[in-house]
Amino acid sequence: MARKMRFSSLSVFAVFFAAAAAAVAVVNSERSDTRFLLTDDSTGGQKHSEEYCAMYNICGARSDGKVLNCPLGSPSVTPDELLSEKIQSLCPTITGNVCCTEAQFNTLRTQVQQAIPFLVGCPACLRNFLNLFCELTCSPNQSQFINVTSISKAKGNLTVDGIDFYITDTFGEGMFESCKEVKFGTMNTRAIEFIGAGAKNFREWYAFIGRRAGLGVPGSPYSINFLSGVPESSGMKPMNVSTYSCGDTSLGCSCGDCPNSAVCSSSASPAPPKKSSCSVRIGSIKAKCVEVAVAILYVVLVSVFLGWGFFYKKRKTSPVSRTKPLVNVPNGGIIRRVNSRKDENIPMQMLEDVPQITNGVQLSIVQGYMSKFYRRYGTWVARNPVLVLCSSVGIVLVLCLGLVRFQVETRPEKLWVGPGSRAAKEKQFFDTHLSPFYRIEQLIIATIPDTHGKAPSIVTDSSINLLFDIQKKVDAIRANYSGSMVSLTDICLKPLGNDCATQSILQYFKMDPQNYDSFGGLDHVEYCFQHYTSAETCSSAFKAPLEPSTALGGFSGNNYLEASAFIVTYPVNNEIDKEGNGTKRAVAWEKAFIQLAKDELLPLVQSRNLTLSFSSESSVEEELKRESTADAITILISYLVMFAYISLTLGDTSRLSTCYISSKVLLGLSGVMLVMLSVLASVGFFSAVGMKSTLIIMEVIPFLVLAVGVDNMCILVHAVKRQQVELPIEGRISNALVEVGPSITLASLSEVLAFAVGSFIPMPACRVFSMFAALAVLLDFLLQVTAFVALIVFDFLRAEGNRVDCFPCVKVSGSNGDSEQGSHQQKPGLLARYMKEIHAPILNIWGVKLLVICAFGAFTLASIALCSRIEPGLEQQIVLPRDSYLQGYFNNISEYLKIGPPLYFVVQNYNFSSESRQTNQLCSISRCDSNSLLNEIARASLVPESSYIAKPAASWLDDFLVWLSPEAFGCCRKFANGGYCPPDDQPPCCSSTGGSCGLSSVCQDCTTCFRHSDLQNDRPSTSQFKEKLPWFLSALPSADCAKAGNGTYTGNVELKGFEDGIIHASAFRTYHTPLNKQADYVNSMRAAREFSSRMSESLQIEIFPYAVYYTFFEQYLNIWKTAMINLAIAIGAVFVVCLVITCSFWTSAIILLVLTMIVVDLLGIMALLNIQLNALSVVNLVMSVGIAVEFCVHITHAFLVTSGDRNQRMKEALTTMGASVFSGITLTKLVGVLVLCFSRTEVFVVYYFKMYLALVLLGFLHGLVFLPVLLSMFGPPSRCVLIEKQEDRPSTSSQF
């Protein structure tokens, strides 16, 4: 996932805490540890009174340039008018006499200007903060609350070394409360983290301010001991200047900086309630409400059903006549029902014994036409097999010519993101108007947990030195692209200079191993963990602070020393054009980076008893390409197993002496070849029209079509075998097609429609898969009723001619194998006998029927309850091969990552003109609306468990308004000629060549860009905004002005066309909370979109959220709706097809019920197996409708055209079609599916092995157990009738 980036000032903000008296003894000074009370410079007596100073004037400077104050007291002095105005401009509470010289005040002003940009957005906090140091430095009553406690000598002069600062707790509490929530947007954190080291109360803040710092280290140059209690005999009084509340109306802060103010509390919108599922506790068991409701419903339904069953059985056992009279049919045919006892079973053939009466079937109009067509067509095919075979295969081969334009799509964004999706459009807008999110290359080095599961710390000397070795190898990578060598520095992100923005703890040493020992080694690392925002020596090589949580993992809270993992991130420049040279150069380097990690870094890390995981931006795409070959052997074995089974099941169980004639190996192989041709023709057709294929198509569709096509092959061959051998081949083929043709057509059309419904799924990979599969199944069906029927003719002629299977040119002498086959055909097979003699009689038992209905109903209702446990998503590990190096990487990411992905709130068409209120509707500093966008983001970050927003947003608008504010006098400045003047610590103002910065005369006449009178309610006019915004975005941040926008907000504001007062695109960056599960990603996206919609409606401004992962997870927001709609369409399409073909609402409704139960039960299995709901599973569910049709339609059709009562017809249907359904449908799919469990790719195991295995088992149970019972109890009336014979002719299975 995307890593957190920080681009801000490397200034050290603790320095100004000593701004008032700033002086420490230099090295070699003499220090007095004796308590030194204030001394009058003339009398030498002690004096703590009004109008008296404790520290006045400067007595020297130390080697790092910090001035040192004199500890000798003196009466306060009256400043000249100019100095008085300067002091009051910064310290309005100090009037009249003062206790500071102009040099001391200039030191104070220089130092506090570093803090002002952090606090100027909250005037109350800034005023309280400045008052503290103004009183310390210049108060005329300084001696009343300041007591010098130790002194040092610097070059012979006495200097202050320590003081007691007596100050009331009231002031401290007021100052802390006004500042504790003030944000520093640039770093997405609070300002107190920088100016108070994250203090939790005013005492901790005082302790931080008063800590003595060493030479060259930020902080106070002497110790300041803050005390609230004053010794009674001292005559001193604690400092107690009034403090301003952040909610004060005169100096009010924004709601983002002061959420507890009365105005903000009343206007704050309530946080969205966290969705909690309804649950009921029954004893110690806690169950969901839906589960309890379903259980109650089941009890009610079962009670009603069992009651009906009891009374029905009782009524049926009463002595009534079971004989029903003959009835006539409206079409003129005479229909006679055969009176039969309950336990009798009269086959259709026995009806022919009735004189002048023959058996017939009253078919629907559509079935009648289909049967007539198949009778004539079967005769024609049997007479012209060569023509049919050549023409059908020829047409398919023509379609295969489209393979010359075959292309495979491997880009993830093209596979999983629909082009019309909202997320795709928002990504396009973000990339086009702002800047594409950078590419990410990452290493994770971690320690191995001990036997107790505790991972030791990785923050050790040896591990850091190892990290330097790794970095050296990475820097040495040279990738070849078009003859030029590409290194990391050529492609990396460089926000603030020439150094890469690498996120690594090596940045604490400027990425230079020579600095490790000189900076202090491990002690320096520990120091930087606490002072990364303030210490100069901890700043990164790319001139921005590095937060430890971005480079470490496996720690709790802020205990960085406990970290068990180093996380090294290399941000690389990205481009919109994925085919451009910039992208290709980056991909070339990434490939070399991954190869280095595999070949050198992994053995190196493992030799140190550590683990290494790694990834690049192109890793997923490259691994998906490799996946195409990862399971080639598994898929091939699956095909071979299915081919072997087909050959066996198509053949006859003859004696060994004639098996070489009766076997059907060549026919089975030919059938498999037809399946492959149908797949190739489908791919060829879509390739010809310009659609790219996917890897899953090449791997799954052949297997899927083979599993579907094998059923029809088996049914066709078995139907031909069931015909009387005495009939010529034309009659057998014709009768077989009449018998099974309508049901095969019904099943195949249902499958094609169900697969085609998947084309409505927006995800491209699944949509293309469904389209390819639908056409492949259609072509396979057409080849089966053309080419395969012709092949059956050839195969039976071969057997009748005693020709050897697989070698038809070889003819053997002896008895005709077909005659033996014919005599054999009269004897039912083992499966048929089982169905007739065991399976059907058991299902005919009334108690068994009730038990079956109750059991299947229970599982369906339980599956409905379990559906609520199915989570949307698709784990990335599942899509990749099991041996992929990314498996460990994704596991480590969820384990070690401590910050979520960046989240941008993008504002479109922001009107910054003076006439518009949109500036105040967006910003979050003083005078901004309480319900502004940034204030609401800050509020949302207070409830991260529901908003998934971790921090307040980094606001370029807030920082811009602060930057040009007159109070931030070190930021927006101009030369006398009106040009931009940088801060004093930047060239040309700073004349430094590497040491301390000396003030240059070039900038001595620079003034602030504006005075208060130039602004309108502290807001710039339209022309001022347009003029100064480019200055802000090009200004570099530094110690004197941390709010500059270069690097921090580069790419966050589109300046194109902003001259008309409209900024067409701008973004405010924050972060999601750590997202560890797929549900977290989905819920975070949903929460961000709901928040943006609410804000857009409230502010009437176009706002949308953007994160890099949104495009891949958008589908899951409405995945349940998508699944239900597609399943409803698929099941509805099957129902319509059944209704049209059978013209029986009763029959179609039963098929509809069974299909629905199979799908619902499959959802329940998904919940039990923790299979997530995504486009893959939705496609499988939709396709399961088509596949499940085969388990239902053949049994139902046989039941419909069989004579007798319901029990007899159920038994006859199982005897006729049960064996074919079990051997030709269940087992063919089962043997192919079982091989997939050995796949190296988890996606095959989860979504094709587990789901298809569950589908096959559910289809088998519903088709051969539940459906027969349902038909025997509630089945439609028989279409079989007795028709008076009109002429003498051989009887057939159907007549019209």
Side-chain angles (χ1 to χ4, degrees):
M1 298 307 299
R3 305 293 302 139
K4 183 179 182 180
M5 289 296 297
R6 303 292 198 205
F7 306 135
S8 77
S9 164
L10 49 134
S11 56
V12 288
F13 305 111
V15 175
F16 50 72
F17 298 136
V24 208
V26 294
V27 183
N28 300 327
S29 336
E30 289 182 22
R31 173 172 295 167
S32 171
D33 293 327
T34 305
R35 184 176 182 84
F36 182 86
L37 297 180
L38 181 65
T39 304
D40 188 297
D41 55 1
S42 58
T43 66
Q46 298 176 353
K47 192 162 186 177
H48 294 286
S49 61
E50 294 183 359
E51 300 295 330
Y52 210 84
C53 305
M55 302 175 293
Y56 185 77
N57 213 339
I58 296 174
C59 289
R62 68 181 194 176
S63 59
D64 60 2
K66 293 181 180 178
V67 295
L68 307 173
N69 287 352
C70 305
L72 302 179
S74 65
S76 60
V77 298
T78 302
D80 58 43
E81 185 177 352
L82 179 60
L83 177 58
S84 179
E85 289 178 358
K86 286 182 178 181
I87 292 175
Q88 289 187 44
S89 67
L90 187 67
C91 308
T93 59
I94 298 178
T95 57
N97 291 349
V98 296
C99 281
C100 60
T101 63
E102 184 171 5
Q104 285 179 296
F105 175 76
N106 289 337
T107 300
L108 168 67
R109 189 177 186 274
T110 300
Q111 298 299 336
V112 297
Q113 82 174 41
Q114 298 177 352
I116 288 175
F118 289 87
L119 306 177
V120 70
C122 182
C125 168
L126 178 62
R127 174 49 47 211
N128 293 333
F129 185 81
L130 291 178
N131 282 347
L132 173 69
F133 294 101
C134 286
E135 294 294 321
L136 174 64
T137 305
C138 295
S139 173
N141 303 317
Q142 189 186 68
S143 64
Q144 287 194 308
F145 49 83
I146 297 293
N147 187 40
V148 178
T149 57
S150 67
I151 61 172
S152 297
K153 277 190 177 181
K155 297 182 179 179
N157 296 326
L158 294 177
T159 58
V160 174
D161 188 57
I163 65 171
D164 285 341
F165 190 164
Y166 294 98
I167 186 169
T168 63
D169 290 346
T170 303
F171 179 89
E173 186 73 29
M175 182 179 72
F176 179 79
E177 288 298 320
S178 67
C179 295
K180 66 178 183 179
E181 297 295 340
V182 176
K183 302 185 306 297
F184 178 43
T186 306
M187 291 285 286
N188 296 97
T189 188
R190 298 181 305 158
I192 197 71
E193 300 289 339
F194 291 82
I195 63 175
K200 301 298 187 296
N201 52 62
F202 75 92
R203 298 189 189 280
E204 291 184 9
W205 197 2
Y206 281 168
F208 174 75
I209 294 173
R211 187 183 304 125
R212 177 187 298 145
L215 286 172
V217 177
S220 172
Y222 55 83
S223 62
I224 304 176
N225 186 22
F226 288 91
L227 301 172
S228 58
V230 178
E232 296 181 1
S233 60
S234 65
M236 301 178 69
K237 298 179 181 179
M239 194 275 286
N240 190 24
V241 176
S242 298
T243 57
Y244 294 90
S245 166
C246 64
D248 188 280
T249 55
S250 62
L251 292 173
C253 304
S254 69
C255 290
D257 293 335
C258 188
N260 296 325
S261 68
V263 175
C264 301
S265 299
S266 61
S267 64
S269 57
K274 190 173 182 179
K275 296 180 181 179
S276 57
S277 58
C278 174
S279 60
V280 176
R281 184 171 295 279
I282 305 174
S284 60
I285 301 176
K286 185 178 181 181
K288 293 184 177 180
C289 292
V290 64
E291 296 169 351
V292 176
V294 167
I296 295 173
L297 177 63
Y298 176 72
V299 171
V300 173
L301 292 178
V302 166
S303 301
V304 173
F305 177 71
L306 292 178
W308 169 85
F310 173 77
F311 288 109
Y312 178 83
K313 182 68 174 176
K314 184 177 181 181
R315 187 188 67 174
K316 198 169 183 181
T317 56
S318 60
V320 295
S321 172
R322 301 193 191 102
T323 303
K324 295 186 180 180
L326 300 177
V327 295
N328 295 329
V329 294
N331 62 4
I334 301 176
I335 301 179
R336 298 178 182 175
R337 293 202 176 186
V338 180
N339 294 337
S340 61
R341 299 178 183 273
K342 182 178 178 182
D343 58 347
E344 291 177 342
N345 181 12
I346 302 179
M348 295 174 63
Q349 292 82 354
M350 295 179 60
L351 300 177
E352 297 178 2
D353 297 335
V354 181
Q356 303 299 315
I357 296 295
T358 185
N359 183 39
V361 178
Q362 186 72 27
L363 297 176
S364 68
I365 297 176
V366 177
Q367 283 178 308
Y369 281 115
M370 290 176 64
S371 295
K372 289 179 181 179
F373 167 77
Y374 275 121
R375 181 175 299 283
R376 295 170 183 170
Y377 171 74
T379 303
W380 181 77
V381 171
R383 292 173 179 171
N384 304 279
V386 176
L387 175 63
V388 173
L389 180 63
C390 293
S391 58
S392 58
V393 173
I395 293 173
V396 171
L397 289 176
V398 170
L399 292 177
C400 292
L401 294 177
L403 291 172
V404 297
R405 299 187 59 186
F406 175 75
Q407 288 181 304
V408 177
E409 183 63 79
T410 58
R411 290 176 292 175
E413 66 274 12
K414 296 295 183 181
L415 290 174
W416 310 111
V417 183
S421 73
R422 171 184 166 183
K425 293 178 181 178
E426 291 171 348
K427 180 181 185 301
Q428 180 68 21
F429 181 89
F430 187 91
D431 291 349
T432 304
H433 292 272
L434 299 172
S435 62
F437 198 78
Y438 47 81
R439 303 174 70 90
I440 298 167
E441 335 297 342
Q442 206 162 51
L443 298 171
I444 300 179
I445 304 157
T447 56
I448 300 176
D450 56 25
T451 55
H452 302 289
K454 174 67 174 178
S457 173
I458 200 170
V459 186
T460 62
D461 288 316
S462 60
S463 297
I464 295 176
N465 287 322
L466 172 64
L467 204 55
F468 274 118
D469 294 338
I470 291 174
Q471 185 61 45
K472 183 178 180 181
K473 292 180 179 292
V474 172
D475 289 336
I477 294 176
R478 296 295 183 270
N480 189 344
Y481 172 70
S482 298
S484 63
M485 306 309 291
V486 182
S487 66
L488 178 60
T489 55
D490 297 328
I491 60 173
C492 69
L493 191 67
K494 302 171 183 176
L496 292 173
N498 297 321
D499 293 288
C500 297
T502 301
Q503 303 290 286
S504 169
I505 66 164
L506 300 184
Q507 291 287 4
Y508 296 143
F509 304 96
K510 317 296 185 189
M511 302 298 290
D512 187 351
Q514 295 182 355
N515 290 336
Y516 185 68
D517 291 328
S518 60
F519 278 24
L522 203 58
D523 291 337
H524 178 69
V525 173
E526 183 177 356
Y527 175 78
C528 290
F529 286 164
Q530 306 301 323
H531 304 90
Y532 63 92
T533 59
S534 57
E536 177 73 24
T537 54
C538 296
S539 63
S540 65
F542 63 94
K543 302 180 178 65
L546 178 77
E547 187 173 345
S549 62
T550 65
L552 297 172
F555 59 89
S556 58
N558 292 329
N559 300 319
Y560 301 123
L561 288 176
E562 297 178 358
S564 58
F566 288 144
I567 302 175
V568 184
T569 306
Y570 303 100
V572 170
N573 290 314
N574 206 352
E575 292 186 357
I576 299 176
D577 183 10
K578 301 304 180 183
E579 302 298 328
N581 287 334
T583 300
K584 291 181 177 179
R585 281 160 52 88
V587 170
W589 186 89
E590 287 166 356
K591 290 181 178 178
F593 170 72
I594 295 299
Q595 199 61 45
L596 172 74
K598 290 180 178 178
D599 297 341
E600 298 185 35
L601 301 187
L602 188 58
L604 177 63
V605 171
Q606 290 176 343
S607 66
R608 308 290 181 90
N609 200 30
L610 300 172
T611 63
L612 173 68
S613 58
F614 46 91
S615 171
S616 70
E617 186 74 15
S618 57
S619 287
V620 172
E621 182 176 348
E622 294 298 322
E623 287 298 279
L624 288 177
K625 290 180 181 178
R626 188 174 70 86
E627 182 186 13
S628 61
T629 58
D631 289 301
I633 296 178
T634 304
I635 299 297
L636 180 60
I637 293 175
S638 177
Y639 293 157
L640 292 176
V641 170
M642 294 185 70
F643 163 67
Y645 176 77
I646 294 168
S647 301
L648 291 175
T649 193
L650 292 183
D652 299 321
T653 56
S654 308
R655 296 189 302 270
L656 184 62
S657 59
T658 59
C659 68
Y660 53 86
I661 293 177
S662 60
S663 66
K664 307 286 184 188
V665 174
L666 187 59
L667 182 61
L669 178 60
S670 302
V672 173
M673 295 302 297
L674 291 178
V675 170
M676 300 307 297
L677 278 177
S678 67
V679 174
L680 293 175
S682 175
V683 175
F685 172 79
F686 285 111
S687 298
V689 298
M691 292 186 64
K692 290 185 178 181
S693 181
T694 63
L695 299 175
I696 198 171
I697 287 175
M698 305 312 299
E699 296 176 343
V700 177
I701 287 185
F703 160 77
L704 176 65
V705 177
L706 185 61
V708 171
V710 165
D711 311 339
N712 293 341
M713 283 189 260
C714 293
I715 290 172
L716 281 170
V717 173
H718 290 167
V720 176
K721 288 181 181 180
R722 283 196 298 269
Q723 306 308 313
Q724 298 178 7
V725 180
E726 293 80 9
L727 291 175
I729 189 65
E730 294 91 338
R732 280 179 278 167
I733 295 295
S734 176
N735 285 352
L737 285 177
V738 169
E739 180 182 339
V740 299
S743 61
I744 287 179
T745 304
L746 174 59
S748 298
L749 287 179
S750 299
E751 289 166 352
V752 171
L753 285 175
F755 294 165
V757 167
S759 63
F760 292 103
I761 294 177
M763 182 183 288
C766 297
R767 184 176 66 249
V768 172
F769 174 82
S770 300
M771 295 171 64
F772 277 62
L775 181 58
V777 171
L778 177 62
L779 292 175
D780 183 53
F781 164 69
L782 295 176
L783 285 175
Q784 286 168 350
V785 296
T786 55
F788 189 70
V789 172
L791 289 171
I792 292 176
V793 174
F794 286 129
D795 188 76
F796 273 78
L797 291 175
R798 173 199 60 78
E800 291 173 0
N802 285 340
R803 297 183 181 274
V804 178
D805 192 19
C806 298
F807 303 97
C809 296
V810 178
K811 184 176 182 180
V812 297
S813 59
S815 61
N816 190 303
D818 187 62
S819 63
E820 295 182 10
Q821 178 187 4
S823 62
H824 172 69
Q825 290 303 310
Q826 304 307 315
K827 182 180 179 181
L830 180 63
L831 276 177
R833 293 200 304 270
Y834 163 78
M835 291 292 174
K836 181 177 181 179
E837 299 171 6
I838 300 177
H839 193 75
I842 291 176
L843 294 183
N844 266 327
I845 300 174
W846 186 252
V848 173
K849 291 181 180 181
L850 297 180
L851 180 62
V852 167
I853 296 294
C854 292
F856 278 79
F859 191 77
T860 298
L861 290 177
S863 297
I864 293 175
L866 288 171
C867 285
S868 62
R869 299 179 182 270
I870 300 177
E871 292 187 353
L874 176 61
E875 296 292 346
Q876 293 169 307
Q877 296 94 318
I878 290 180
V879 184
L880 301 167
R882 287 177 175 176
D883 60 349
S884 172
Y885 62 87
L886 290 178
Q887 296 285 357
Y889 170 76
F890 286 128
N891 291 333
N892 286 347
I893 279 293
S894 60
E895 180 179 357
Y896 296 121
L897 203 62
K898 295 299 180 182
I899 190 69
L903 167 63
Y904 296 87
F905 286 98
V906 181
V907 176
Q908 298 175 259
N909 302 319
Y910 158 43
N911 186 347
F912 62 81
S913 64
S914 303
E915 296 77 17
S916 172
R917 290 197 63 257
Q918 289 191 2
T919 296
N920 287 340
Q921 288 180 310
L922 295 176
C923 65
S924 64
I925 60 173
S926 177
R927 298 181 184 273
C928 296
D929 292 352
S930 61
N931 64 338
S932 68
L933 172 63
L934 291 164
N935 278 332
E936 291 296 328
I937 294 174
R939 284 196 192 96
S941 68
L942 300 177
V943 283
E945 62 280 355
S946 60
S947 69
Y948 292 90
I949 297 176
K951 300 183 177 185
S955 168
W956 67 267
L957 181 58
D958 284 357
D959 285 0
F960 171 59
L961 296 177
V962 169
W963 179 82
L964 55 75
S965 171
E967 280 89 353
F969 45 80
C971 292
C972 185
R973 307 196 306 169
K974 60 184 179 181
F975 287 112
N977 62 6
Y980 172 65
C981 176
D984 286 334
D985 59 351
Q986 295 182 25
C989 302
C990 178
S991 59
S992 171
T993 57
S996 59
C997 185
L999 186 60
S1000 170
S1001 60
V1002 176
C1003 302
Q1004 63 182 2
D1005 294 329
C1006 288
T1007 58
T1008 57
C1009 294
F1010 304 108
R1011 292 171 295 180
H1012 279 289
S1013 58
D1014 297 329
L1015 303 175
Q1016 305 171 8
N1017 294 322
D1018 292 338
R1019 299 291 182 262
S1021 65
T1022 305
S1023 59
Q1024 292 169 340
F1025 200 110
K1026 286 192 292 187
E1027 179 188 6
K1028 296 302 184 285
L1029 182 59
W1031 285 19
F1032 167 73
L1033 294 176
S1034 60
L1036 290 171
S1038 64
D1040 282 356
C1041 182
K1043 291 285 186 176
N1046 192 343
T1048 310
Y1049 300 115
T1050 301
N1052 282 9
V1053 185
E1054 183 187 35
L1055 294 181
K1056 182 180 178 181
F1058 88 114
E1059 294 83 2
D1060 58 359
I1062 302 292
I1063 294 178
H1064 297 287
S1066 63
F1068 301 97
R1069 183 191 71 246
T1070 180
Y1071 293 89
H1072 277 302
T1073 54
L1075 309 175
N1076 298 320
K1077 300 184 298 182
Q1078 293 284 291
D1080 293 338
Y1081 287 95
V1082 178
N1083 293 334
S1084 64
M1085 182 180 182
R1086 179 180 288 110
R1089 283 193 170 182
E1090 290 175 354
F1091 175 85
S1092 295
S1093 298
R1094 189 168 67 251
M1095 294 308 302
S1096 296
E1097 183 178 354
S1098 171
L1099 304 179
Q1100 296 299 303
I1101 300 175
E1102 300 174 77
I1103 305 168
F1104 68 84
Y1106 170 74
V1108 288
Y1109 69 88
Y1110 280 3
T1111 52
F1112 299 103
F1113 283 85
E1114 182 185 37
Q1115 57 172 308
Y1116 304 123
L1117 294 178
N1118 299 303
I1119 192 69
W1120 273 109
K1121 179 180 178 181
T1122 301
M1124 293 301 104
I1125 291 176
N1126 282 275
L1127 285 173
I1129 294 174
I1131 296 177
V1134 172
F1135 175 78
V1136 171
V1137 171
C1138 294
L1139 186 61
V1140 169
I1141 292 179
T1142 64
C1143 292
S1144 171
F1145 183 86
W1146 196 337
T1147 303
S1148 303
I1150 288 179
I1151 293 177
L1152 177 69
L1153 173 63
V1154 177
L1155 289 181
T1156 303
M1157 291 181 66
I1158 291 176
V1159 172
V1160 171
D1161 291 351
L1162 188 57
L1163 285 168
I1165 296 293
M1166 287 176 58
L1168 293 175
L1169 297 179
N1170 293 321
I1171 298 177
Q1172 295 172 308
L1173 189 68
N1174 48 57
L1176 289 177
S1177 52
V1178 169
V1179 168
N1180 285 343
L1181 288 169
V1182 171
M1183 290 192 299
S1184 70
V1185 176
I1187 294 175
V1189 167
E1190 296 187 344
F1191 292 97
C1192 306
V1193 70
H1194 300 296
I1195 297 290
T1196 306
H1197 181 263
F1199 178 85
L1200 197 62
V1201 298
T1202 306
S1203 63
D1205 62 18
R1206 287 192 177 106
N1207 289 334
Q1208 293 171 339
R1209 291 160 59 201
M1210 181 266 282
K1211 183 177 180 180
E1212 184 68 20
L1214 284 175
T1215 303
T1216 305
M1217 293 303 299
S1220 295
V1221 170
F1222 182 75
S1223 62
I1225 298 178
T1226 305
L1227 293 182
T1228 51
K1229 289 179 171 60
L1230 195 61
V1231 295
V1233 167
L1234 288 176
V1235 179
L1236 292 180
C1237 71
F1238 301 103
S1239 173
R1240 294 166 57 192
T1241 306
E1242 194 70 15
V1243 69
F1244 277 89
V1245 176
V1246 174
Y1247 292 98
Y1248 294 100
F1249 168 65
K1250 291 183 179 180
M1251 285 195 70
Y1252 277 40
L1253 179 61
L1255 172 61
V1256 171
L1257 296 178
L1258 289 173
F1260 161 72
L1261 292 173
H1262 283 79
L1264 293 180
V1265 178
F1266 177 74
L1267 179 60
V1269 170
L1270 189 65
L1271 290 173
S1272 69
M1273 298 179 71
F1274 311 105
S1278 173
R1279 291 284 179 88
C1280 184
V1281 295
L1282 298 180
I1283 302 176
E1284 292 184 1
K1285 217 170 189 181
Q1286 302 297 324
E1287 57 179 314
D1288 294 333
R1289 63 184 180 193
S1291 62
T1292 60
S1293 61
S1294 299
Q1295 182 172 333
F1296 306 92

